[in-house]
Amino acid sequence: MGSYIPNSKAEQQKMLDFLGLASFDDLYNEIPDKVKLKGGLNIPAGKSELEVRRQMEALAGKNKVFRTIFRGAGAYRHYIPAIVKAVASKERFVTAYTPYQPEISQGVLQSIFEFQTMICELTGMDTANASVYDGATACAEAITMCVDRKRDEVFVSATLHPDYLRTVKTYCYAAGRKLVVVPEKDGVTDLAFLKENLNEKSAVFLMQQPNFYGIIEDAEACFKVAREAGAKSVMCINPIFAAIGKTPRECGADIAVGEGQPLGISLSFGGPYLGFMACVQELTRRLPGRIVGQTKDIEGKRAFVLTLQAREQHIRREKASSNICSNQALCALTAACYMSTMGPTGLKEVANQCLAKAHYAAKHISSLPGYELVFDAEFFHEFVTRCPVDVNKLMAKLEEEGILGGYPLEGPYEGCILWCFTEMNTKEEIDRLVAILKEGIQE
Amino acid sequence: MKLIFERSTPGLSCEILPPCDVEAYELKAEQQRGQELRLPEVTEGEISRHYTELESQTFGVNSGYYPLGSCTMKYNPKINEEIAGLPGFADIHPLQPAHTVQGCLEALRLAEKLLCEITGMDYMTFQPAAGAHGEFTGLVLIKKYHESRGDKKRTKIIVPDTAHGTNPASATMAGFTTVSISSGQDGLVDLEALKAAVGEDTAGLMLTNPNTLGLFEKNIVEIAEIVHQAGGLLYYDGANLNPVMGIVRPGDTGFDIVHLNLHKTFSTPHGGGGPGSGPVGCKAFLAKFLPVPRVEEKDGEFYFSGDYENTIGSMKAFYGNFLVVLKALAYILTLGREGIPEAAKSAVLNANYMMKKLEDLYQVAYPGRCMHEFVLTAEPLKKKTGVSALDIAKGLLDNGMHPPTVYFPLIVHEALMVEPTDTESKQSIDEAVKVYRELYEKACTDPEALHQAPVKTAVRRLDEVTAARNPILRYNFD
């Protein structure tokens, strides 16, 4: 059995003696017997480190690690530089608590301040928070920022990632808010519908850029309509795209949110990831969660501290702007280190390579009979094609070659495939994919 | 310390990517970014040095004694980190076909089975990313449950005044009104106050047990009866499970829903504020409302299913902070049947030992047997010397220790909430006790010294008022 208790039995006995107790059981004599567990836990006996490692490695061995991945749909494989992994595994960063004591936590606090700055730079916004759980919850929290007594209806585009949409629905259901899903038309938000349905009760319109299908939408047009109706605008943006694409600010958004996983965080079977949130100055005090600010110590030295805490649950309780307490600080530090490593040129290069490779792949895949592009719209690093063969069979064939193929869509585009290409995919891999698809048609 | 932006030199970079091997593509002008992108321009060596400096000004679990009440800052075993980093977990795409992720699904099922046994629950979801997220999930389950019975008048959630701030904040997010009930003289739920508070509008009670005073709610069976008889459900805030795991199961004491903080009780690290993991367990009658997707098993094959008519939906994308769940799983496998209750007992022993070593000087807010933590009040000390709980906390910083949680729970004035955890040695507690006692002496003889503390830290007390009044929340490049 493994144990991390640093006291010997003899020492523990001394401590019990000091307390005047005969045994460990006496520690619990305030607890009524009728509620105590009888006969112990029905779980396996403890194991040594090596045994645990073997068991967990056996589980890991039952998963398939794909050499080549052409699937995104909300989780993206990008190159993670060695320095990023090294920094993110530094023991104190990994094990510290929320920096409540600023005098001994300047390292964590400054890392968050740097992260906030970088997210502001990426999105063009004025203020960012220290992170929330993921892209989906960032969307849900952004909506809450916009709702008030007069305006409480929420508009969300159907082109949002389905998991995000389902999450937003749950949050709206919980708070008793009316949610209107703006339909998708030709792969993008139905602007006419939005225009017709926004009203004096509408609080917010939220859309994703690029959207779930990879398409770069005309966000400016959508946000203009929202603004004219008096509603706030939220853009959920891919942070890699943000390096080269029009920023949420430039598109007229009031709030920018997104999934920060592409910024140096591994796929991790879906988590932990990183929700980021940034907004225009006027909404700063509506942001949920931790925010780090710069100040001075009593000697005039620059220092950082958790600030604007009057928004938060531990002060405001039921009147707080959100219940969030733990966030994804270590993931935020990872993302900040990634952005520092890539720098402005490097991050744009990642984005441009994604863009180039996706367009190279699209050109060759869509030239195969039956693999036409479903949408005639500009895209970033994902696009949807039809599939002339059984999708499952195609995926199985790709799997034999160590390739995770595109994501088979459900719903209105069942039978179509959402492909994703990043800087990780070489020309050779893409050519090989096209060759396999071609073989599949001929069979 | 310099900010990373202040280390930046135009033109410098790390060479990470090879040149693009396909023809370039350009976005239409109206889709391109116009704003400058001011990220740092630094070499790898500079980055490495920068973060080494930041790390040196960060207090980790191994930097010293860390008895932060209600946070369970126990040792974070290294094997757990290595397991979470295995490529067979870390490099798995969340949308891979089920037959290629059998190991991930089996790990989730195993963690569910073990944690259900530990909590006395029937089902568990790992989707919630943190404790507060778990609370919100549990409250939405409560809402859905009442609605499914056509019972729409249940709009109130009862919380004791000792509750974590997240409890009422979560209740608000779930559309409930919070009813706060005062604790009794003994620091426990006042049964009469509870009886007076429940009624046809009661949706449920959120309770932390042991509570935030470190006291076990010994009337828990009666509490459960009162709430259930009124038609409400009982929610267990698992922040304080550590001292009773393997001793008492929330499910056996009447709770219908629990959330756990894997980053507290089950040894996963806090990451400077996260990621955590806040799985939610429930009794069978609530299972149909759990968030989707859920892991199912058929003929030895695991798969995800989203096909539940009554589900509350999703709490986030994908399945939760999976790698954090793995770390907790490794911990449970390591400790096992005997180790889990032994850890609990060690936590309780350590807390009571330290409390008894201090109680002649510092006033214990609610004397008696504590569980994992105890709460001191510095109010008498403050009256006597002017030295506050905050001053004591800052004095501890000069002694290389992390202070306890201060000014919480709210019902204790000048509160110092001390949670030594199970992984603290007698030796380190004895050393801490010595420091706590010295600080008390210092408060009596030289209070000014403690008003000035800390003096040995990298920075001294901060001007938090200006920070909030004139917020500077990002680096100014101009």
Side-chain angles (χ1 to χ4, degrees), chain B residues 13 73 108 120-121 149 162 165 239 250 285 291 310 331 397 445 451 477:
Chain B
S13 65
M73 297 299 287
L108 285 171
M121 291 290 139
R149 295 156 49 92
T162 50
F285 73 97
N310 296 296
Y331 178 75
L397 296 177
T445 56
H451 297 323
F477 290 91

Side-chain angles (χ1 to χ4, degrees), chain B residues 98-100 102 105 295-304:
Chain B
H99 69 274
T100 67
Q102 286 296 299
L105 298 178
V295 184
E296 295 288 355
E297 185 181 357
K298 198 181 170 192
D299 306 328
E301 286 279 313
F302 300 94
Y303 62 99
F304 274 123

Side-chain angles (χ1 to χ4, degrees), chain A residues 89-102:
Chain A
S89 53
K90 282 178 178 286
E91 188 184 63
R92 294 188 194 184
F93 293 149
V94 172
T95 65
Y97 199 77
T98 302
Y100 290 138
Q101 295 291 336

